[in-house]
């Protein structure tokens, strides 16, 4: 394609071939080049500064541009929101198709392929935002399952919970949705209890989201809500405040509560240097998502909220023996839940003027999930209107 095509297509002022870069910059009398270099501390993906023949003729600044670009990506424009809404709509429909198609005896990778097929076939999404995370049964307690070391290779059996974390990509914008459902369409008692604890935690946090609310506050609300639910269901006893101070929530939810969404599935934003914590604040940071810790939410930010509850022997057994944590834990009750794996529910939301708008759209309550799987809608999948 010609440079003129790129000017029209991307709305830039000028475009040149890469082998012209030194000549063009000299003609424009550029003395300092601001190069993009930095690391997304959520995904640990680094952006390396470009190099080209003749770069030694210019003064190079690799520190100024990256934090400015990060700050610019935190708040989305209306057009960006349109694309994110679209890919989230497509991905939500993909999740719904998996709910209808997943059956006992199917392999996890077969279930995940239904999602990727739907997003490409009916949404025009050539790529997914990340390798689908599709554990079933006891494996759903494994975070970020599904990569090269555990490639969604288990056969789903009757009675399993499926925890499917999947999101599509469209025009370099991504989304991230997690659904948990029983493959046979019916929750057991312990599965239902765990699911409803997590769903209540989601609602508790979502109801507090608004401009000015910090991610630190959201984190504290989330973890305390989960601990409160565990107490109400008899798995824990004692003071929620004391449990929180003992970091007992990390035994049942060993991950952060969410992240930015946009040009990366864990999009940049909230860098420590940008949000400027004090030393005293930095001493009490949850290092699951440190760069978001003191980030005040603002209108048109797009994030996920993803509480979970997992029964992982590797975490439960040491905690039961730890006097600071074990004194709160009711082993006989916890043992009833071992083996089901875990539950995670992940919603995508846009911060609005006075709250937030959930844009992911999949069946969420126990009743909605069981009814949807029992009485599926007519199988007439419309092509979604792409951009």
């Amino acid at each position: 394609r010609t440079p003129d095509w790129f000017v029209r297509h991307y709305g830039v002022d000028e475009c040149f071939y890469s082998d012209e870069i030194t000549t063009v910059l000299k003609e424009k009398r550029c003395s300092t080049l601001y190069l993009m270099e930095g690391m997304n501390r959520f995904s640990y993906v680094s952006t390396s500064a470009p190099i080209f023949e003749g770069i030694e003729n210019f003064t190079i600044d690799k520190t100024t541009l990256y934090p400015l670009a990060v700050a610019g990506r935190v708040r989305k424009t209306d057009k960006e929101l349109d694309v994110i809404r679209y890919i989230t709509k497509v991905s939500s429909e993909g999740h719904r198709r998996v709910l209808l198609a997943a059956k006992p005896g199917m392999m996890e990778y077969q279930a995940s392929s239904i999602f990727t097929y739907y997003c490409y076939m009916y949404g025009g999404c050539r790529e997914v935002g990340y390798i689908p995370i599709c554990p079933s049964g006891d494996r759903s307690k494994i975070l970020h399952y599904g990569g090269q070391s555990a490639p969604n290779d288990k056969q789903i059996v009757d009675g399993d919970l499926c925890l499917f974390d999947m999101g599509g990509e469209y025009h370099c914008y991504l989304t991230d949705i997690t659904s948990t459902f029983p493959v046979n369409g019916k929750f057991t008692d312990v599965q239902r209890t765990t699911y409803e604890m997590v769903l209540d935690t989601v609602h508790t946090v979502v109801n507090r989201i608004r401009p000015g609310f910090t991610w630190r506050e959201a984190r504290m609300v989330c973890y305390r809500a989960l601990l409160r639910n565990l107490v109400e269901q008899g798995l824990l006893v004692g003071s929620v405040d004391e449990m929180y101070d003992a970091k007992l929530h990390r035994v049942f939810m060993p991950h952060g509560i969410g992240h930015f969404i946009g040009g990366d599935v864990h999009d940049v934003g909230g860098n420590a240097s940008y949000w400027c914590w004090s030393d005293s604040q930095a001493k009490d940071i949850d290092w699951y998502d440190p760069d978001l810790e003191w980030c005040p939410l603002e209108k048109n930010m797009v994030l996920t909220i993803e509480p979970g509850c997992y029964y992982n022997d590797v975490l439960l057994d040491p905690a039961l023996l730890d006097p600071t944590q074990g004194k709160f834990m009711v082993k006989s009750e916890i043992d009833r839940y071992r083996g089901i794996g875990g539950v995670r529910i992940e919603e995508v939301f846009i911060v609005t003027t006075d709250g937030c708008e959930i844009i992911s759209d999949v069946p969420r309550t126990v009743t909605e999930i069981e009814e949807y799987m029992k009485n599926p809608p007519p199988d007439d999948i419309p092509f979604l209107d792409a951009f």
Side-chain angles (χ1 to χ4, degrees):
R1 298 182 186 275
T2 66
D4 288 343
W5 183 90
F6 286 96
V7 168
R8 294 192 305 271
H9 187 73
Y10 290 103
V12 296
D13 296 326
E14 296 178 286
C15 179
F16 304 93
Y17 291 108
S18 58
D19 59 1
E20 300 177 286
I21 187 168
T22 301
T23 300
V24 171
L25 291 174
K26 286 182 176 179
E27 289 176 352
K28 294 182 176 296
R29 299 182 180 181
C30 295
S31 58
T32 300
L33 302 183
Y34 295 91
L35 305 183
M36 184 80 79
E37 183 168 278
M39 184 179 72
N40 179 344
R41 299 202 340 166
F42 258 112
S43 62
Y44 298 101
V45 174
S46 294
T47 299
S48 299
I51 57 174
F52 56 88
E53 186 176 346
I55 194 173
E56 66 278 2
N57 297 315
F58 304 92
T59 300
I60 302 302
D61 182 325
K62 296 182 180 180
T63 61
T64 300
L65 187 56
Y66 187 83
L68 293 175
V70 167
R73 278 173 61 163
V74 166
R75 290 164 293 276
K76 271 53 177 182
T77 66
D78 289 343
K79 288 186 177 180
E80 286 180 303
L81 292 178
D82 285 343
V83 180
I84 295 172
R85 287 179 190 278
Y86 176 76
I87 185 56
T88 303
K89 179 180 180 181
V90 171
S91 298
S92 296
E93 290 297 325
H95 272 263
R96 288 174 177 267
R97 302 316 300 181
V98 174
L99 256 68
L100 298 182
K103 298 290 185 292
M106 183 179 285
M107 300 299 291
E108 292 166 340
Y109 62 78
Q110 291 176 310
S112 72
S113 72
I114 296 166
F115 175 83
T116 55
Y117 166 79
Y118 179 89
C119 289
Y120 198 2
M121 179 68 180
Y122 294 99
C125 305
R126 184 176 180 180
E127 304 289 344
V128 289
Y130 50 95
I131 297 173
I133 301 166
C134 298
S136 61
D138 192 43
R139 293 193 181 187
S140 58
K141 67 189 179 187
I142 303 172
L143 306 182
H144 291 157
Y145 172 92
Q148 293 179 349
S149 60
N152 297 323
D153 60 355
K154 174 184 171 295
Q155 187 175 47
I156 307 170
V157 301
D158 192 16
D160 276 353
L161 273 183
C162 294
L163 189 162
F164 283 9
D165 185 333
M166 307 177 292
E169 177 181 341
Y170 189 75
H171 283 216
C172 298
Y173 283 84
L174 300 83
T175 197
D176 186 357
I177 302 169
T178 304
S179 301
T180 304
F181 62 94
V183 70
N184 62 11
K186 190 71 175 177
F187 286 88
T188 66
D189 289 344
V190 291
Q191 290 172 349
R192 172 190 288 266
T193 298
T194 304
Y195 188 91
E196 291 181 338
M197 288 193 295
V198 175
L199 186 61
D200 178 79
T201 302
V202 172
H203 291 162
T204 301
V205 181
V206 166
N207 289 338
R208 298 288 299 276
I209 296 296
R210 58 184 44 80
F213 195 63
T214 67
W215 205 241
R216 172 183 171 80
E217 292 173 304
R219 169 175 67 82
M220 295 172 69
V221 168
C222 180
Y223 292 142
R224 289 173 188 273
L226 179 60
L227 291 171
R228 170 180 54 77
N229 273 283
L230 288 164
V231 170
E232 290 174 355
Q233 296 304 324
L235 285 80
L236 302 177
V237 293
S239 163
V240 169
D241 288 340
E242 292 178 8
M243 294 175 194
Y244 182 81
D245 291 341
K247 302 189 185 306
L248 190 55
H249 51 281
R250 293 187 176 183
V251 174
F252 294 91
M253 183 181 162
H255 58 76
I257 70 168
H259 50 83
F260 281 115
I261 279 287
D264 198 348
V265 64
H266 287 188
D267 207 3
V268 294
N271 285 339
S273 59
Y274 180 71
W275 297 109
C276 302
W277 324 318
S278 66
D279 290 340
S280 61
Q281 290 171 331
K283 292 178 181 177
D284 188 29
I285 289 169
D286 190 315
W287 291 103
Y288 290 134
D289 39 30
D291 290 349
L292 258 177
E293 183 75 359
W294 293 95
C295 167
L297 299 181
E298 299 179 31
K299 183 182 177 182
N300 286 2
M301 286 182 172
V302 185
L303 302 97
T304 72
I305 182 69
E306 52 177 323
C309 183
Y310 315 86
Y311 306 105
N312 192 325
D313 295 343
V314 174
L315 299 176
L316 290 172
D317 291 340
L320 284 163
L321 297 175
D322 183 338
T324 63
Q325 295 182 328
K327 64 183 180 181
F328 302 112
M329 303 171 71
V330 182
K331 185 178 183 300
S332 59
E333 279 300 302
I334 291 171
D335 287 347
R336 294 178 52 235
Y337 290 77
R338 294 184 194 247
I340 71 169
V343 169
R344 182 165 66 253
I345 299 171
E346 186 172 19
E347 302 280 27
V348 182
F349 69 87
I350 301 170
V351 181
T352 61
T353 303
D354 56 359
C356 72
E357 175 192 358
I358 301 294
I359 60 173
S360 42
D361 182 20
V362 296
R364 282 307 190 198
T365 69
V366 167
T367 301
E368 288 172 349
I369 292 169
E370 292 182 346
E371 181 63 25
Y372 189 82
M373 297 179 73
K374 181 179 179 181
N375 298 302
D379 191 13
D380 53 344
I381 307 173
F383 279 84
L384 296 172
D385 294 328
F387 286 82

